[in-house]
Amino acid sequence: MLLAEAVGVPMLLVIIYRIMVIRSYRLYYDDIGVWAYSGILPWKKGVSGVKWRDMDEATFEPGFWSWLFKSYSIRIGH
């Protein structure tokens, strides 16, 4: 029983952390470009993005699972 707890608790913490990271993603745009903000820990927070002048194309892939969970994969190329 002790071994199960020693393995189960850290695995549960990792799963909770990953869910929180996924939920921390925010996609937004402004006059300069399209940006993605993410991170929950202070040393992991950050912004990355693409400027409008560098953007080539933006695509997404519709599908049943994307529609069901309302989470589309977006690709912005430059």
Side-chain angles (χ1 to χ4, degrees):
M1 189 68 165
L2 186 61
L3 180 63
E5 291 174 0
V7 173
V9 171
M11 286 177 54
L12 181 63
L13 292 174
V14 168
I15 291 170
I16 291 171
Y17 172 74
R18 288 187 179 185
I19 290 171
M20 291 174 64
V21 168
I22 290 170
R23 293 183 50 85
S24 75
Y25 277 89
R26 299 291 180 248
L27 185 66
Y28 64 95
Y29 67 94
D30 58 14
D31 293 338
I32 299 171
V34 179
W35 311 100
Y37 174 83
S38 67
I40 57 171
L41 300 173
W43 55 88
K44 289 284 195 172
K45 289 183 180 180
V47 175
S48 63
V50 179
K51 293 183 179 180
W52 292 118
R53 65 179 170 87
D54 297 335
M55 195 173 301
D56 180 30
E57 65 180 353
T59 60
F60 74 99
E61 297 180 18
F64 175 73
W65 297 112
S66 298
W67 171 79
L68 183 64
F69 293 110
K70 297 191 184 340
S71 63
Y72 296 92
S73 297
I74 299 171
R75 183 187 172 279
I76 301 173
H78 66 87

